[in-house]
Amino acid sequence: MQFTVMPAGAWGTAMAIHLNRIGQTVSLVFRETDEAAEAATIRENKHFLPGIPIDQNIQISCEAAPTLLEADVLILVCPSKFLRPQCREIKPMLASASRLKLIVSLVKGLEDGTNLCATDIIKQELPGVPVAALSGPTFASQVARGQPGAAVLASDDDTPFLREVQKAMSGESLRIYTSSDLIGVELTGSLKNVYAIAAGICDGLGLQDNSKAALLTRSLAEMVRVGTNLGGRVETFYGLTGFGDLILTCNGKESRNRTFGELFAQGVSVEELLTKRQMTVEGYRTCACFYKICQDRKLSAPILQEIHAMLYCGKDPQQALRSLMGRELKAEY
């Protein structure tokens, strides 16, 4: 099976390396010509995935159109705020992409203003091509290095080709499951980033195991409450893309969202982190989207509400902690 992966950030590069390792044909598309030329020469993406070699069999390009001519599957891996422009850039090329049967999104986050998930944006901008989402508890560098892991390929259109893609993307180091709960998989992939910021704030405040365990447990309960109200299935939130990814993103040292929260709690400003340090933190913008959704639907989400108050309203983290601990007592269920 032939895959086009774009753009060549950390996740795009890691997925290309994984697919090549298990015998698939892969084209990796860079945004910039000079970055593509450098990667083709040194066989490494030193800006986003340094130290991990890119095999000679992976075609490196800065132009998507030629790679789409032969692609069976297009994998999109850009930050959520760039997804709609990326789709509009691709759209004119699809007329010649006669073999393309599926677009797979690895994008995690909601779109500002519309609060749409990634596959909804792709369906709007690139109608006519089936869409799926791939999500799960995986860090890019560990997938690239072949560390064993698992993920979920979700689509609301369970075609035989989806199962072919499942088989084509699975190997000894990455096991792919399928799901028909597309909205649930995308919601879990977005929500867990918000709660990872809270976990990082716990770390930054010096809180220890008891605090983190309580936060993660109640965050999962909140994810289930919000996500099922928005159409996700409860079992999805207890699976790989829900509970699994929540545990990874809230505890892993490679988690950008957790790191963002830790530095924020230590006194580094949001502006410093997002602009000067140029951190890509999906949970920051996604928090505002879900806050608006919960307000509109009158959903109880106290942890998310306090995260929003800290990030957008200047509330002191210690005060936010006191607000959560001082809430009215109730039964767990």
Side-chain angles (χ1 to χ4, degrees):
M1 193 171 289
Q2 298 208 45
F3 292 82
T4 289
V5 183
M6 61 184 297
W11 247 119
T13 305
M15 186 53 60
I17 291 170
H18 162 71
L19 290 170
N20 174 75
R21 183 189 296 123
I22 59 176
Q24 306 304 329
T25 303
V26 189
S27 295
L28 179 61
V29 182
F30 282 73
R31 289 187 183 278
E32 304 295 335
T33 304
D34 57 343
E35 291 180 358
E38 178 185 62
T41 301
I42 68 173
R43 306 308 297 187
E44 180 183 326
N45 188 344
K46 73 174 188 179
H47 298 283
F48 292 103
L49 209 60
I52 300 178
I54 299 174
D55 191 85
Q56 292 287 342
N57 289 329
I58 297 175
Q59 178 187 345
I60 291 175
S61 175
C62 62
E63 296 183 12
T67 72
L68 289 173
L69 290 175
E70 301 298 326
D72 300 299
V73 179
L74 168 62
I75 298 179
L76 294 177
V77 210
C78 59
S80 60
K81 65 180 180 180
F82 297 130
L83 179 58
R84 196 177 292 274
Q86 180 81 84
C87 289
R88 290 177 177 175
E89 181 182 326
I90 292 169
K91 188 172 184 177
M93 308 173 191
L94 294 187
S96 303
S98 58
R99 290 182 48 170
L100 189 65
K101 299 186 184 72
L102 184 68
I103 298 173
V104 177
S105 166
L106 270 68
V107 180
K108 296 181 178 179
L110 304 184
E111 184 180 46
D112 291 338
T114 66
N115 296 334
L116 290 175
C117 292
T119 59
D120 292 320
I121 297 169
I122 296 171
K123 289 174 183 178
Q124 283 185 356
E125 298 293 334
L126 304 175
V129 183
V131 179
L134 183 70
S135 185
T138 49
F139 285 139
S141 66
Q142 295 178 29
V143 169
R145 290 189 173 97
Q147 290 289 313
V152 176
L153 182 66
S155 174
D156 51 16
D157 184 13
D158 186 20
T159 64
F161 186 69
L162 186 74
R163 290 184 289 279
E164 291 180 33
V165 175
Q166 174 193 24
K167 184 177 179 180
M169 296 185 73
S170 295
E172 291 184 357
S173 62
L174 187 63
R175 180 176 174 84
I176 305 294
Y177 294 82
T178 58
S179 170
S180 59
D181 185 18
L182 178 59
I183 182 64
V185 166
E186 289 206 277
L187 288 172
T188 53
S190 299
L191 278 165
K192 55 90 181 180
N193 286 328
V194 180
Y195 297 109
I197 293 176
I201 291 172
C202 276
D203 295 336
L205 293 174
L207 303 178
Q208 297 184 8
D209 298 338
N210 291 359
S211 307
K212 183 72 79 69
L215 172 69
L216 297 191
T217 306
R218 296 313 301 165
S219 294
L220 179 60
E222 195 166 289
M223 283 176 60
V224 173
R225 183 165 59 250
V226 173
T228 53
N229 184 276
L230 297 177
R233 296 202 297 258
V234 65
E235 60 266 25
T236 300
F237 291 84
Y238 290 104
L240 284 167
T241 65
F243 174 75
D245 213 354
L246 180 70
I247 294 300
L248 178 77
T249 313
C250 288
N251 290 292
K253 297 299 183 184
E254 295 183 47
S255 168
R256 291 189 295 264
N257 291 279
R258 190 209 61 80
T259 301
F260 172 88
E262 182 176 17
L263 294 173
F264 173 79
Q266 293 171 350
V268 185
S269 69
V270 170
E271 181 183 10
E272 164 79 15
L273 292 169
L274 295 182
T275 57
K276 294 182 181 178
R277 302 197 187 189
Q278 296 184 327
M279 292 183 71
T280 300
V281 185
E282 290 286 4
Y284 174 73
R285 293 182 309 99
T286 300
C287 176
C289 294
F290 277 113
Y291 177 80
K292 179 66 165 56
I293 291 170
C294 290
Q295 291 287 303
D296 291 345
R297 291 176 174 250
K298 296 181 170 53
L299 297 176
S300 173
I303 300 174
L304 190 147
Q305 181 177 329
E306 294 299 330
I307 299 168
H308 184 271
M310 287 185 284
L311 299 182
Y312 288 91
C313 305
K315 190 169 185 176
D316 181 74
Q318 290 286 2
Q319 182 58 47
L321 176 62
R322 286 192 289 271
S323 296
L324 286 172
M325 295 302 290
R327 295 177 65 240
E328 181 182 357
L329 298 176
K330 61 179 185 178
E332 183 177 19
Y333 297 107

